[in-house]
Amino acid sequence: MGPLPVPRCFYSGLAAISLLLLPGLVGAAPDVALQVSVSPEVPVAGQPVEIRVVATNVGTTDATDAVILDRLPTEVAIPAGMTHFASTGTYSPATGEWRIGTLAPSAIASLTIPVTLVGATQPACIVNVARATTPGDLNPAND
């Protein structure tokens, strides 16, 4: 067996995606890439904040049973009278599960969560982590 092919990198607009091109295995799999943004990036106590998660299937086949886990940090909460908006699927703030279902190649789904800081003072740092759990995902590094 000869040397393995060199990975080629492509830029998707959301993340750099490395595809190892092997004979007969030309990336024929789903690949859900995530992008998370927060606006404003440095909120003050009581200020509305928007967390936005965008999932894109940059793979070549359907991503079936796509689930994104995004538990809200304890320093924030969805204000009374407001709710999240998922362009596709359902989101449970209690579990942090965003069940997208099937995401076709090149399809994009988004989740917007309005929050405010819980305490009266601004914490030094708030970390929000979203992670994709998609069976057969080609590149878990961009989840």
Side-chain angles (χ1 to χ4, degrees):
M1 181 172 171
L4 290 175
V6 177
R8 293 178 51 201
C9 286
F10 299 92
Y11 186 74
S12 73
L14 292 178
I17 302 152
S18 295
L19 298 177
L20 187 57
L21 302 177
L22 297 173
L25 247 188
V26 187
D31 183 8
V32 177
L34 294 183
Q35 180 179 23
V36 180
S37 61
V38 177
S39 179
E41 290 182 7
V42 184
V44 295
Q47 181 180 16
V49 178
E50 181 179 280
I51 297 173
R52 183 169 166 82
V53 182
V54 177
T56 305
N57 183 359
V58 295
T60 57
T61 61
D62 286 355
T64 56
D65 300 321
V67 176
I68 310 301
L69 299 175
D70 187 0
R71 282 207 180 122
L72 293 177
T74 57
E75 299 91 350
V76 299
I78 297 174
M82 298 191 81
T83 191
H84 59 277
F85 173 75
S87 67
T88 304
T90 59
Y91 175 71
S92 168
T95 65
E97 282 190 350
W98 175 24
R99 295 191 165 280
I100 296 173
T102 300
L103 197 59
S106 300
I108 299 171
S110 64
L111 171 66
T112 303
I113 310 168
V115 298
T116 56
L117 295 177
V118 173
T121 59
Q122 179 180 7
C125 181
I126 300 172
V127 177
N128 182 62
V129 177
R131 173 66 72 199
T133 59
T134 305
D137 193 301
L138 179 67
N139 182 12
N142 64 359
D143 294 356

